Amino acid sequence: MTKLFVMGMGPGDLGLVAPNATKALDICTDWVAYGYYLELLGKLSQGKTFHDLPLGEEIGRARLALTLAAKGKPTALISSGDIGIYAMATLVFELLDQQLQGNENHPEWLDVEIEVIPGISAMQAGASRVGASLGHDFCTVSLSDLLTPWETIDKRIHAAGAGDFVISFYNPVSKKRDWQLNHARDVLLQYRPANTPVMIGRQLTRPDEEITITTLGELDANAVDMFTMVTVGNSESKHIVNKDQHWLYTPRGYSKKL
């Protein structure tokens, strides 16, 4: 069997791993991933061969997965969330594209059967935790400028603000990047009110999950780390409180029919 499963394992809770992903994980002898994701899969990983490459070795991970599969080993390339959203799936196809253009020397990769299995993304997990924050048009923006020029990211933040999209920020901060989120906040304050609700979700669906609902005016990068996703509502998003329950939702327009 020459097959590579490119899969998202969801945000971390084993109950949110898609059934098709679970089946594929069982079939595969070799798992390629960042080590922390392998740990999160817990009991599903018994008897599997791990290939743990650290953060920053994403290209190496994709190369290894294709090579293992080409050797006949049923292989899973695993990311958290959805592997097609800011994750490893794109690298697999970029490498295949490079091979087709003659820029790689791995013709065996072209014989690998590839199946991409989606997973629940962090923005979906965060939205479910607070209610329905993604109830109307939304977009995602990664604040990491490692692969994308900051000028491009800044342009996209302005465009999302002008379009009044709900925005989920991925990679909001890191140990070396601590100013971009506050800059994004200041940009969005040009387009929507300071009391716009914001969800800060850390380690979503994992044992040490932390959820905070704040406002755009009070959003501060000091409250965020690299395991956090931030969702900023649009100009109509609402934070409602029922006893000890706090909900954040974005109306879709049904009020005209109510």
PDB file of all heavy atoms in Angstrom, residues 165-193:
ATOM      1  N   PHE A 165     -15.752  41.910   8.987  1.00  0.00           N
ATOM      2  CA  PHE A 165     -15.718  40.473   9.216  1.00  0.00           C
ATOM      3  C   PHE A 165     -15.436  40.164  10.680  1.00  0.00           C
ATOM      4  O   PHE A 165     -14.642  40.859  11.326  1.00  0.00           O
ATOM      5  CB  PHE A 165     -14.606  39.822   8.383  1.00  0.00           C
ATOM      6  CG  PHE A 165     -14.880  39.717   6.914  1.00  0.00           C
ATOM      7  CD1 PHE A 165     -14.480  40.728   6.044  1.00  0.00           C
ATOM      8  CD2 PHE A 165     -15.529  38.613   6.396  1.00  0.00           C
ATOM      9  CE1 PHE A 165     -14.724  40.632   4.691  1.00  0.00           C
ATOM     10  CE2 PHE A 165     -15.771  38.508   5.036  1.00  0.00           C
ATOM     11  CZ  PHE A 165     -15.377  39.524   4.172  1.00  0.00           C
ATOM     12  N   VAL A 166     -16.049  39.102  11.212  1.00  0.00           N
ATOM     13  CA  VAL A 166     -15.522  38.477  12.419  1.00  0.00           C
ATOM     14  C   VAL A 166     -14.144  37.930  12.046  1.00  0.00           C
ATOM     15  O   VAL A 166     -13.979  37.340  10.973  1.00  0.00           O
ATOM     16  CB  VAL A 166     -16.435  37.326  12.896  1.00  0.00           C
ATOM     17  CG1 VAL A 166     -15.827  36.621  14.106  1.00  0.00           C
ATOM     18  CG2 VAL A 166     -17.823  37.843  13.214  1.00  0.00           C
ATOM     19  N   ILE A 167     -13.158  38.131  12.909  1.00  0.00           N
ATOM     20  CA  ILE A 167     -11.790  37.742  12.561  1.00  0.00           C
ATOM     21  C   ILE A 167     -11.219  36.810  13.623  1.00  0.00           C
ATOM     22  O   ILE A 167     -11.222  37.141  14.811  1.00  0.00           O
ATOM     23  CB  ILE A 167     -10.870  38.972  12.439  1.00  0.00           C
ATOM     24  CG1 ILE A 167     -11.475  40.020  11.508  1.00  0.00           C
ATOM     25  CG2 ILE A 167      -9.493  38.565  11.936  1.00  0.00           C
ATOM     26  CD1 ILE A 167     -10.750  41.343  11.543  1.00  0.00           C
ATOM     27  N   SER A 168     -10.735  35.659  13.184  1.00  0.00           N
ATOM     28  CA  SER A 168     -10.010  34.763  14.072  1.00  0.00           C
ATOM     29  C   SER A 168      -8.520  34.910  13.773  1.00  0.00           C
ATOM     30  O   SER A 168      -8.083  34.664  12.643  1.00  0.00           O
ATOM     31  CB  SER A 168     -10.446  33.307  13.867  1.00  0.00           C
ATOM     32  OG  SER A 168     -11.762  33.109  14.346  1.00  0.00           O
ATOM     33  N   PHE A 169      -7.767  35.321  14.783  1.00  0.00           N
ATOM     34  CA  PHE A 169      -6.328  35.500  14.625  1.00  0.00           C
ATOM     35  C   PHE A 169      -5.597  34.237  15.060  1.00  0.00           C
ATOM     36  O   PHE A 169      -5.691  33.821  16.216  1.00  0.00           O
ATOM     37  CB  PHE A 169      -5.831  36.684  15.449  1.00  0.00           C
ATOM     38  CG  PHE A 169      -6.205  38.029  14.885  1.00  0.00           C
ATOM     39  CD1 PHE A 169      -7.109  38.848  15.551  1.00  0.00           C
ATOM     40  CD2 PHE A 169      -5.658  38.473  13.694  1.00  0.00           C
ATOM     41  CE1 PHE A 169      -7.461  40.079  15.037  1.00  0.00           C
ATOM     42  CE2 PHE A 169      -6.002  39.705  13.166  1.00  0.00           C
ATOM     43  CZ  PHE A 169      -6.910  40.510  13.837  1.00  0.00           C
ATOM     44  N   TYR A 170      -4.885  33.637  14.122  1.00  0.00           N
ATOM     45  CA  TYR A 170      -3.994  32.520  14.431  1.00  0.00           C
ATOM     46  C   TYR A 170      -2.590  33.082  14.674  1.00  0.00           C
ATOM     47  O   TYR A 170      -2.244  34.154  14.188  1.00  0.00           O
ATOM     48  CB  TYR A 170      -3.956  31.538  13.268  1.00  0.00           C
ATOM     49  CG  TYR A 170      -5.152  30.611  13.184  1.00  0.00           C
ATOM     50  CD1 TYR A 170      -6.406  31.091  12.806  1.00  0.00           C
ATOM     51  CD2 TYR A 170      -5.028  29.256  13.472  1.00  0.00           C
ATOM     52  CE1 TYR A 170      -7.501  30.240  12.714  1.00  0.00           C
ATOM     53  CE2 TYR A 170      -6.108  28.397  13.386  1.00  0.00           C
ATOM     54  CZ  TYR A 170      -7.347  28.890  13.002  1.00  0.00           C
ATOM     55  OH  TYR A 170      -8.418  28.050  12.922  1.00  0.00           O
ATOM     56  N   ASN A 171      -1.786  32.321  15.421  1.00  0.00           N
ATOM     57  CA  ASN A 171      -0.408  32.727  15.727  1.00  0.00           C
ATOM     58  C   ASN A 171      -0.352  34.181  16.208  1.00  0.00           C
ATOM     59  O   ASN A 171       0.412  34.995  15.679  1.00  0.00           O
ATOM     60  CB  ASN A 171       0.487  32.562  14.487  1.00  0.00           C
ATOM     61  CG  ASN A 171       0.405  31.176  13.887  1.00  0.00           C
ATOM     62  OD1 ASN A 171       0.568  30.183  14.579  1.00  0.00           O
ATOM     63  ND2 ASN A 171       0.140  31.102  12.593  1.00  0.00           N
ATOM     64  N   PRO A 172      -1.151  34.527  17.218  1.00  0.00           N
ATOM     65  CA  PRO A 172      -1.237  35.938  17.615  1.00  0.00           C
ATOM     66  C   PRO A 172       0.044  36.475  18.238  1.00  0.00           C
ATOM     67  O   PRO A 172       0.369  37.651  18.062  1.00  0.00           O
ATOM     68  CB  PRO A 172      -2.397  35.958  18.611  1.00  0.00           C
ATOM     69  CG  PRO A 172      -2.444  34.564  19.166  1.00  0.00           C
ATOM     70  CD  PRO A 172      -2.050  33.674  18.019  1.00  0.00           C
ATOM     71  N   VAL A 173       0.760  35.630  18.971  1.00  0.00           N
ATOM     72  CA  VAL A 173       2.029  36.039  19.570  1.00  0.00           C
ATOM     73  C   VAL A 173       2.959  34.834  19.619  1.00  0.00           C
ATOM     74  O   VAL A 173       2.538  33.694  19.455  1.00  0.00           O
ATOM     75  CB  VAL A 173       1.867  36.599  21.012  1.00  0.00           C
ATOM     76  CG1 VAL A 173       0.950  37.811  21.051  1.00  0.00           C
ATOM     77  CG2 VAL A 173       1.374  35.526  21.954  1.00  0.00           C
ATOM     78  N   SER A 174       4.214  35.087  19.854  1.00  0.00           N
ATOM     79  CA  SER A 174       5.191  34.035  20.128  1.00  0.00           C
ATOM     80  C   SER A 174       6.236  34.634  21.056  1.00  0.00           C
ATOM     81  O   SER A 174       6.151  35.809  21.433  1.00  0.00           O
ATOM     82  CB  SER A 174       5.837  33.519  18.834  1.00  0.00           C
ATOM     83  OG  SER A 174       6.713  34.495  18.301  1.00  0.00           O
ATOM     84  N   LYS A 175       7.231  33.853  21.407  1.00  0.00           N
ATOM     85  CA  LYS A 175       8.276  34.358  22.301  1.00  0.00           C
ATOM     86  C   LYS A 175       9.033  35.534  21.681  1.00  0.00           C
ATOM     87  O   LYS A 175       9.533  36.403  22.393  1.00  0.00           O
ATOM     88  CB  LYS A 175       9.256  33.226  22.650  1.00  0.00           C
ATOM     89  CG  LYS A 175       8.624  32.130  23.509  1.00  0.00           C
ATOM     90  CD  LYS A 175       9.621  31.026  23.814  1.00  0.00           C
ATOM     91  CE  LYS A 175       8.991  29.952  24.677  1.00  0.00           C
ATOM     92  NZ  LYS A 175       9.937  28.842  24.957  1.00  0.00           N
ATOM     93  N   LYS A 176       9.101  35.549  20.354  1.00  0.00           N
ATOM     94  CA  LYS A 176       9.843  36.617  19.683  1.00  0.00           C
ATOM     95  C   LYS A 176       8.929  37.661  19.045  1.00  0.00           C
ATOM     96  O   LYS A 176       9.415  38.644  18.495  1.00  0.00           O
ATOM     97  CB  LYS A 176      10.756  36.011  18.605  1.00  0.00           C
ATOM     98  CG  LYS A 176      11.833  35.095  19.171  1.00  0.00           C
ATOM     99  CD  LYS A 176      12.709  34.537  18.052  1.00  0.00           C
ATOM    100  CE  LYS A 176      13.797  33.623  18.615  1.00  0.00           C
ATOM    101  NZ  LYS A 176      14.650  33.054  17.529  1.00  0.00           N
ATOM    102  N   ARG A 177       7.623  37.446  19.082  1.00  0.00           N
ATOM    103  CA  ARG A 177       6.682  38.383  18.464  1.00  0.00           C
ATOM    104  C   ARG A 177       5.620  38.767  19.489  1.00  0.00           C
ATOM    105  O   ARG A 177       4.762  37.960  19.832  1.00  0.00           O
ATOM    106  CB  ARG A 177       5.974  37.743  17.263  1.00  0.00           C
ATOM    107  CG  ARG A 177       6.806  37.562  16.032  1.00  0.00           C
ATOM    108  CD  ARG A 177       5.948  37.042  14.874  1.00  0.00           C
ATOM    109  NE  ARG A 177       5.261  35.794  15.200  1.00  0.00           N
ATOM    110  CZ  ARG A 177       3.982  35.708  15.538  1.00  0.00           C
ATOM    111  NH1 ARG A 177       3.222  36.780  15.626  1.00  0.00           N
ATOM    112  NH2 ARG A 177       3.452  34.526  15.805  1.00  0.00           N
ATOM    113  N   ASP A 178       5.668  39.981  19.986  1.00  0.00           N
ATOM    114  CA  ASP A 178       4.709  40.368  21.027  1.00  0.00           C
ATOM    115  C   ASP A 178       3.976  41.668  20.731  1.00  0.00           C
ATOM    116  O   ASP A 178       3.209  42.147  21.555  1.00  0.00           O
ATOM    117  CB  ASP A 178       5.421  40.479  22.377  1.00  0.00           C
ATOM    118  CG  ASP A 178       6.531  41.525  22.368  1.00  0.00           C
ATOM    119  OD1 ASP A 178       6.761  42.139  21.301  1.00  0.00           O
ATOM    120  OD2 ASP A 178       7.168  41.709  23.415  1.00  0.00           O
ATOM    121  N   TRP A 179       4.173  42.242  19.527  1.00  0.00           N
ATOM    122  CA  TRP A 179       3.550  43.531  19.256  1.00  0.00           C
ATOM    123  C   TRP A 179       2.453  43.485  18.196  1.00  0.00           C
ATOM    124  O   TRP A 179       1.606  44.367  18.112  1.00  0.00           O
ATOM    125  CB  TRP A 179       4.609  44.545  18.804  1.00  0.00           C
ATOM    126  CG  TRP A 179       5.350  44.145  17.547  1.00  0.00           C
ATOM    127  CD1 TRP A 179       6.507  43.427  17.466  1.00  0.00           C
ATOM    128  CD2 TRP A 179       4.960  44.435  16.196  1.00  0.00           C
ATOM    129  NE1 TRP A 179       6.867  43.247  16.153  1.00  0.00           N
ATOM    130  CE2 TRP A 179       5.949  43.865  15.351  1.00  0.00           C
ATOM    131  CE3 TRP A 179       3.896  45.132  15.622  1.00  0.00           C
ATOM    132  CZ2 TRP A 179       5.877  43.949  13.962  1.00  0.00           C
ATOM    133  CZ3 TRP A 179       3.828  45.221  14.240  1.00  0.00           C
ATOM    134  CH2 TRP A 179       4.812  44.642  13.423  1.00  0.00           C
ATOM    135  N   GLN A 180       2.435  42.422  17.375  1.00  0.00           N
ATOM    136  CA  GLN A 180       1.512  42.396  16.244  1.00  0.00           C
ATOM    137  C   GLN A 180       0.041  42.383  16.659  1.00  0.00           C
ATOM    138  O   GLN A 180      -0.800  43.014  16.019  1.00  0.00           O
ATOM    139  CB  GLN A 180       1.795  41.184  15.352  1.00  0.00           C
ATOM    140  CG  GLN A 180       3.039  41.333  14.503  1.00  0.00           C
ATOM    141  CD  GLN A 180       4.282  40.746  15.153  1.00  0.00           C
ATOM    142  OE1 GLN A 180       4.346  40.620  16.381  1.00  0.00           O
ATOM    143  NE2 GLN A 180       5.265  40.381  14.359  1.00  0.00           N
ATOM    144  N   LEU A 181      -0.270  41.668  17.750  1.00  0.00           N
ATOM    145  CA  LEU A 181      -1.672  41.591  18.167  1.00  0.00           C
ATOM    146  C   LEU A 181      -2.186  42.958  18.612  1.00  0.00           C
ATOM    147  O   LEU A 181      -3.304  43.355  18.269  1.00  0.00           O
ATOM    148  CB  LEU A 181      -1.849  40.561  19.287  1.00  0.00           C
ATOM    149  CG  LEU A 181      -3.289  40.393  19.789  1.00  0.00           C
ATOM    150  CD1 LEU A 181      -4.204  39.914  18.666  1.00  0.00           C
ATOM    151  CD2 LEU A 181      -3.332  39.414  20.959  1.00  0.00           C
ATOM    152  N   ASN A 182      -1.389  43.683  19.368  1.00  0.00           N
ATOM    153  CA  ASN A 182      -1.816  45.018  19.791  1.00  0.00           C
ATOM    154  C   ASN A 182      -1.951  45.958  18.593  1.00  0.00           C
ATOM    155  O   ASN A 182      -2.835  46.818  18.567  1.00  0.00           O
ATOM    156  CB  ASN A 182      -0.837  45.594  20.815  1.00  0.00           C
ATOM    157  CG  ASN A 182      -0.970  44.936  22.177  1.00  0.00           C
ATOM    158  OD1 ASN A 182      -1.910  44.185  22.424  1.00  0.00           O
ATOM    159  ND2 ASN A 182      -0.026  45.206  23.050  1.00  0.00           N
ATOM    160  N   HIS A 183      -1.089  45.781  17.603  1.00  0.00           N
ATOM    161  CA  HIS A 183      -1.223  46.578  16.382  1.00  0.00           C
ATOM    162  C   HIS A 183      -2.539  46.234  15.679  1.00  0.00           C
ATOM    163  O   HIS A 183      -3.263  47.148  15.235  1.00  0.00           O
ATOM    164  CB  HIS A 183      -0.048  46.311  15.446  1.00  0.00           C
ATOM    165  CG  HIS A 183      -0.189  46.975  14.108  1.00  0.00           C
ATOM    166  ND1 HIS A 183       0.201  48.279  13.889  1.00  0.00           N
ATOM    167  CD2 HIS A 183      -0.712  46.528  12.927  1.00  0.00           C
ATOM    168  CE1 HIS A 183      -0.060  48.602  12.633  1.00  0.00           C
ATOM    169  NE2 HIS A 183      -0.604  47.554  12.023  1.00  0.00           N
ATOM    170  N   ALA A 184      -2.857  44.941  15.585  1.00  0.00           N
ATOM    171  CA  ALA A 184      -4.108  44.530  14.946  1.00  0.00           C
ATOM    172  C   ALA A 184      -5.308  45.104  15.697  1.00  0.00           C
ATOM    173  O   ALA A 184      -6.276  45.563  15.080  1.00  0.00           O
ATOM    174  CB  ALA A 184      -4.186  43.006  14.905  1.00  0.00           C
ATOM    175  N   ARG A 185      -5.241  45.087  17.022  1.00  0.00           N
ATOM    176  CA  ARG A 185      -6.311  45.701  17.829  1.00  0.00           C
ATOM    177  C   ARG A 185      -6.495  47.164  17.459  1.00  0.00           C
ATOM    178  O   ARG A 185      -7.630  47.627  17.238  1.00  0.00           O
ATOM    179  CB  ARG A 185      -5.955  45.571  19.310  1.00  0.00           C
ATOM    180  CG  ARG A 185      -6.887  46.317  20.265  1.00  0.00           C
ATOM    181  CD  ARG A 185      -6.168  46.582  21.568  1.00  0.00           C
ATOM    182  NE  ARG A 185      -5.014  47.462  21.388  1.00  0.00           N
ATOM    183  CZ  ARG A 185      -3.983  47.508  22.230  1.00  0.00           C
ATOM    184  NH1 ARG A 185      -3.937  46.729  23.285  1.00  0.00           N
ATOM    185  NH2 ARG A 185      -2.984  48.341  21.980  1.00  0.00           N
ATOM    186  N   ASP A 186      -5.393  47.896  17.382  1.00  0.00           N
ATOM    187  CA  ASP A 186      -5.475  49.332  17.094  1.00  0.00           C
ATOM    188  C   ASP A 186      -6.031  49.591  15.698  1.00  0.00           C
ATOM    189  O   ASP A 186      -6.772  50.558  15.481  1.00  0.00           O
ATOM    190  CB  ASP A 186      -4.104  49.975  17.257  1.00  0.00           C
ATOM    191  CG  ASP A 186      -3.607  49.954  18.702  1.00  0.00           C
ATOM    192  OD1 ASP A 186      -4.442  49.758  19.614  1.00  0.00           O
ATOM    193  OD2 ASP A 186      -2.390  50.113  18.905  1.00  0.00           O
ATOM    194  N   VAL A 187      -5.687  48.725  14.757  1.00  0.00           N
ATOM    195  CA  VAL A 187      -6.245  48.864  13.411  1.00  0.00           C
ATOM    196  C   VAL A 187      -7.751  48.650  13.444  1.00  0.00           C
ATOM    197  O   VAL A 187      -8.529  49.439  12.886  1.00  0.00           O
ATOM    198  CB  VAL A 187      -5.585  47.862  12.441  1.00  0.00           C
ATOM    199  CG1 VAL A 187      -6.356  47.812  11.113  1.00  0.00           C
ATOM    200  CG2 VAL A 187      -4.132  48.231  12.189  1.00  0.00           C
ATOM    201  N   LEU A 188      -8.206  47.595  14.110  1.00  0.00           N
ATOM    202  CA  LEU A 188      -9.633  47.273  14.122  1.00  0.00           C
ATOM    203  C   LEU A 188     -10.452  48.310  14.874  1.00  0.00           C
ATOM    204  O   LEU A 188     -11.635  48.520  14.564  1.00  0.00           O
ATOM    205  CB  LEU A 188      -9.854  45.883  14.725  1.00  0.00           C
ATOM    206  CG  LEU A 188      -9.309  44.716  13.885  1.00  0.00           C
ATOM    207  CD1 LEU A 188      -9.560  43.388  14.584  1.00  0.00           C
ATOM    208  CD2 LEU A 188      -9.924  44.716  12.491  1.00  0.00           C
ATOM    209  N   LEU A 189      -9.836  48.988  15.833  1.00  0.00           N
ATOM    210  CA  LEU A 189     -10.550  50.055  16.549  1.00  0.00           C
ATOM    211  C   LEU A 189     -10.876  51.232  15.626  1.00  0.00           C
ATOM    212  O   LEU A 189     -11.704  52.082  15.977  1.00  0.00           O
ATOM    213  CB  LEU A 189      -9.723  50.526  17.746  1.00  0.00           C
ATOM    214  CG  LEU A 189      -9.738  49.597  18.960  1.00  0.00           C
ATOM    215  CD1 LEU A 189      -8.696  50.031  19.985  1.00  0.00           C
ATOM    216  CD2 LEU A 189     -11.128  49.544  19.595  1.00  0.00           C
ATOM    217  N   GLN A 190     -10.259  51.268  14.469  1.00  0.00           N
ATOM    218  CA  GLN A 190     -10.600  52.284  13.479  1.00  0.00           C
ATOM    219  C   GLN A 190     -11.905  51.956  12.760  1.00  0.00           C
ATOM    220  O   GLN A 190     -12.514  52.827  12.133  1.00  0.00           O
ATOM    221  CB  GLN A 190      -9.486  52.419  12.441  1.00  0.00           C
ATOM    222  CG  GLN A 190      -8.126  52.800  13.002  1.00  0.00           C
ATOM    223  CD  GLN A 190      -7.043  52.771  11.936  1.00  0.00           C
ATOM    224  OE1 GLN A 190      -7.286  53.081  10.766  1.00  0.00           O
ATOM    225  NE2 GLN A 190      -5.839  52.377  12.334  1.00  0.00           N
ATOM    226  N   TYR A 191     -12.341  50.687  12.867  1.00  0.00           N
ATOM    227  CA  TYR A 191     -13.481  50.228  12.090  1.00  0.00           C
ATOM    228  C   TYR A 191     -14.662  49.762  12.939  1.00  0.00           C
ATOM    229  O   TYR A 191     -15.772  49.650  12.419  1.00  0.00           O
ATOM    230  CB  TYR A 191     -13.054  49.066  11.182  1.00  0.00           C
ATOM    231  CG  TYR A 191     -11.979  49.429  10.196  1.00  0.00           C
ATOM    232  CD1 TYR A 191     -10.626  49.147  10.466  1.00  0.00           C
ATOM    233  CD2 TYR A 191     -12.282  50.055   8.993  1.00  0.00           C
ATOM    234  CE1 TYR A 191      -9.629  49.468   9.555  1.00  0.00           C
ATOM    235  CE2 TYR A 191     -11.289  50.382   8.075  1.00  0.00           C
ATOM    236  CZ  TYR A 191      -9.964  50.091   8.372  1.00  0.00           C
ATOM    237  OH  TYR A 191      -8.979  50.421   7.459  1.00  0.00           O
ATOM    238  N   ARG A 192     -14.430  49.428  14.203  1.00  0.00           N
ATOM    239  CA  ARG A 192     -15.533  48.936  15.043  1.00  0.00           C
ATOM    240  C   ARG A 192     -15.357  49.421  16.468  1.00  0.00           C
ATOM    241  O   ARG A 192     -14.258  49.797  16.873  1.00  0.00           O
ATOM    242  CB  ARG A 192     -15.627  47.404  14.962  1.00  0.00           C
ATOM    243  CG  ARG A 192     -14.396  46.645  15.406  1.00  0.00           C
ATOM    244  CD  ARG A 192     -14.442  45.184  14.964  1.00  0.00           C
ATOM    245  NE  ARG A 192     -14.332  45.049  13.517  1.00  0.00           N
ATOM    246  CZ  ARG A 192     -14.234  43.883  12.868  1.00  0.00           C
ATOM    247  NH1 ARG A 192     -14.241  42.751  13.550  1.00  0.00           N
ATOM    248  NH2 ARG A 192     -14.141  43.839  11.563  1.00  0.00           N
ATOM    249  N   PRO A 193     -16.439  49.433  17.250  1.00  0.00           N
ATOM    250  CA  PRO A 193     -16.374  50.048  18.588  1.00  0.00           C
ATOM    251  C   PRO A 193     -15.492  49.286  19.565  1.00  0.00           C
ATOM    252  O   PRO A 193     -15.244  48.086  19.418  1.00  0.00           O
ATOM    253  CB  PRO A 193     -17.835  50.051  19.047  1.00  0.00           C
ATOM    254  CG  PRO A 193     -18.515  49.028  18.219  1.00  0.00           C
ATOM    255  CD  PRO A 193     -17.803  48.994  16.900  1.00  0.00           C
TER     256      PRO A 193
END
